[in-house]
């Protein structure tokens, strides 16, 4: 099952490239959201590969709280733009 | 026999998830609008990741509580994040 | 109604996270779910049927989302469009949440704004130039 990680890493490079290529803040936010989801899925896959559920638990926790910070950041950015 | 079948289905799910990831993430580098990219990202990050996690779930059904938790939070958070980003990145209509 | 749904949701999350059905854990889960705060707004005209419909809608959204994803992959959707969708008056917040979830989950549509006066602003991608 090791073959999965290669393509995953390659696909992960796309949003990372986008984060420093684009100047618009919302495009950057999109790319960061994408990176956050993709890395936590990768953590889950690695935990299955290594058969270690402590890693998997971390992945699930990141999935369930990680995006909250991005939402807050989006709200703050909206307010700042309105000033 | 059964094991092999489960393996094939699980590999299929993960493969489909990877295809969705690639297809939905690729437009991110293009010049399209934020909302258009949100549509393709909801395809990649929500649907693709759900497919991958289902593939993992078939492989290790013993850990189903955690993986189901992952599925639920993935679907809800990603969708609502899409809504919040769409809401925040568009201007308030003046009326 | 809202109360039981809320409690059910919290208990589900608790049991999925702890993955432990022993009596002690059930008691702890119940206590935690009842203690953490919730909002008390009950002046909404939503019946059990509305809830069943909304939940069914978000379940159906899952296979529909995959179908739309395949459709987008096979035929490119290049055009964007903005429409308004009406909301029944005085809908409960939970129902509005489920509506937004079901609409946004499918890749072709995203809710960009919810207005209290009774509409969602829905953003579409389409195959052909909208009129």
């Amino acid at each position: 099952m090791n073959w999965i990680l290669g393509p995953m890493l390659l696909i992960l490079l796309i949003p990372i490239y986008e984060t420093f290529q684009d100047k618009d803040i919302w495009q950057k936010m999109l790319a960061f959201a994408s990176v956050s989801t993709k890395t936590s899925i990768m953590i889950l896959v690695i935990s299955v590969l290594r058969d270690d559920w402590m890693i998997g638990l971390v992945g699930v926790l990141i999935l369930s709280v990680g995006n909250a910070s991005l939402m807050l950041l989006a709200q703050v950015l909206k307010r700042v733009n309105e000033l | 026999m059964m094991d092999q079948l489960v393996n094939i289905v699980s590999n299929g799910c993960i493969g489909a998830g990877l295809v969705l990831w690639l297809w939905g993430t690729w437009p991110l580098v293009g010049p399209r609008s934020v909302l258009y990219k949100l549509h393709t990202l909801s395809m990649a990050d929500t649907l693709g990741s759900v497919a991958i996690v289902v593939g993992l779930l078939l492989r290790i059904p013993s850990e189903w509580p955690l993986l189901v938790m992952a599925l639920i939070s993935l679907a809800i958070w990603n969708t609502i994040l899409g809504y919040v980003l769409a809401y925040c990145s568009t201007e308030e209509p003046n009326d | 109604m809202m109360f039981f749904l809320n409690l059910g949701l919290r208990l589900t999350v608790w049991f999925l996270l702890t993955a432990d059905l022993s009596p002690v854990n059930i008691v702890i889960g119940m206590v935690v779910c009842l203690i953490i705060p919730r909002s008390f707004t009950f002046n909404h005209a939503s019946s059990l049927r509305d809830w069943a419909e909304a939940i069914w809608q978000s379940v159906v959204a899952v296979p529909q989302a995959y179908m739309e994803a395949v459709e987008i992959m096979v035929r490119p959707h290049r055009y964007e469009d903005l429409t308004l969708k009406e909301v029944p008056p005085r809908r409960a917040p939970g129902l509005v949440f489920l509506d937004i979830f079901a609409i946004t989950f499918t890749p072709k549509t995203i809710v960009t704004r919810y207005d209290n006066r009774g509409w969602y602003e829905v953003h579409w991608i389409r195959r052909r130039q909208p009129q």
Side-chain angles (χ1 to χ4, degrees):
Chain A
M1 222 169 83
N2 280 311
W3 57 272
I4 300 169
L5 280 180
M8 278 181 145
L9 274 173
L10 284 180
I11 297 172
L12 185 63
L13 284 180
I14 302 173
I16 291 179
Y17 169 72
E18 167 73 9
T19 50
F20 65 86
Q21 173 243 13
D22 209 306
K23 289 277 178 290
D24 183 39
I25 186 67
W26 293 110
Q27 308 261 5
K28 269 186 211 260
M29 284 290 288
L30 274 187
F32 279 130
S34 178
V35 170
S36 132
T37 317
K38 287 190 168 61
T39 40
S40 39
I41 292 295
M42 280 176 75
I43 293 174
L44 276 181
V45 170
I46 289 172
S47 83
V48 172
L49 283 180
R50 301 213 166 171
D51 208 11
D52 181 351
W53 264 97
M54 290 299 115
I55 303 178
L57 192 59
V58 175
V60 173
L61 281 181
I62 293 178
L63 264 184
S64 44
V65 291
N67 278 342
S69 57
L70 275 171
M71 274 184 204
L72 267 179
L73 194 57
Q75 299 284 2
V76 171
L77 277 173
K78 186 183 168 66
R79 297 281 153 80
V80 169
N81 281 342
E82 277 168 3
L83 285 182
Chain B
M1 181 58 206
M2 203 57 204
D3 276 2
Q4 267 178 346
L5 195 67
V6 168
N7 256 339
I8 292 171
V9 174
S10 137
N11 274 339
C13 279
I14 294 175
L18 283 179
V19 170
L20 280 173
W21 265 28
L22 183 62
W23 203 279
T25 318
W26 188 245
L28 208 57
V29 274
R32 297 303 300 251
S33 70
V34 173
L35 284 175
Y36 183 85
K37 290 181 179 179
L38 256 179
H39 284 285
T40 61
L41 264 191
S42 89
M43 183 169 131
D45 279 355
T46 316
L47 297 178
S49 306
V50 165
I52 292 177
V53 176
V54 169
L56 295 181
L57 185 61
L58 286 173
R59 224 161 253 268
I60 34 163
S62 58
E63 293 291 347
W64 70 269
L66 266 182
L67 283 178
V68 169
M69 186 73 208
L71 276 179
I72 293 176
S73 47
L74 192 67
I76 293 183
W77 273 116
N78 258 337
T79 317
I80 298 307
L81 180 68
Y83 164 63
V84 170
L85 278 178
Y87 170 74
C88 290
S89 66
T90 50
E91 291 289 315
E92 200 86 32
N94 297 317
D95 54 350
Chain C
M1 193 55 220
M2 209 39 207
F3 170 77
F4 287 108
L5 275 170
N6 219 330
L7 192 68
L9 183 71
R10 287 174 182 181
L11 278 176
T12 317
V13 171
W14 175 262
F15 288 125
L16 283 176
L17 263 184
T18 54
D20 178 4
L21 276 181
S22 63
V24 182
N25 195 44
I26 293 178
V27 172
I28 296 175
M30 285 297 263
V31 170
V32 170
C33 292
L34 288 174
I35 282 179
I36 48 180
R38 72 180 77 83
S39 66
F40 292 95
T41 45
F42 290 112
N43 56 338
H44 297 288
S46 302
S47 63
L48 192 61
R49 233 192 102 194
D50 289 339
W51 278 98
E53 254 170 40
I55 291 172
W56 177 241
Q57 246 181 15
S58 23
V59 172
V60 169
V62 177
Q64 198 196 340
Y66 278 96
M67 262 153 60
E68 286 187 5
V70 172
E71 216 179 309
I72 291 173
M73 280 158 91
V74 175
R75 306 168 174 161
H77 289 55
R78 293 213 174 76
Y79 302 103
E80 301 173 32
D81 190 12
L82 212 58
T83 57
L84 294 183
K85 185 172 184 284
E86 279 209 42
V87 191
R90 288 181 49 208
R91 216 155 154 74
L95 283 175
V96 172
F97 176 83
L98 280 178
D99 281 347
I100 292 179
F101 175 79
I103 297 176
T104 312
F105 189 76
T106 51
K108 275 192 201 177
T109 49
I110 285 183
V111 180
T112 57
R113 181 156 286 120
Y114 164 66
D115 194 289
N116 280 327
R117 280 160 295 180
W119 37 265
Y120 305 118
E121 201 178 283
V122 183
H123 185 265
W124 287 78
I125 48 172
R126 296 195 193 275
R127 270 182 67 208
R128 297 199 182 80
Q129 181 86 53
Q131 303 304 314

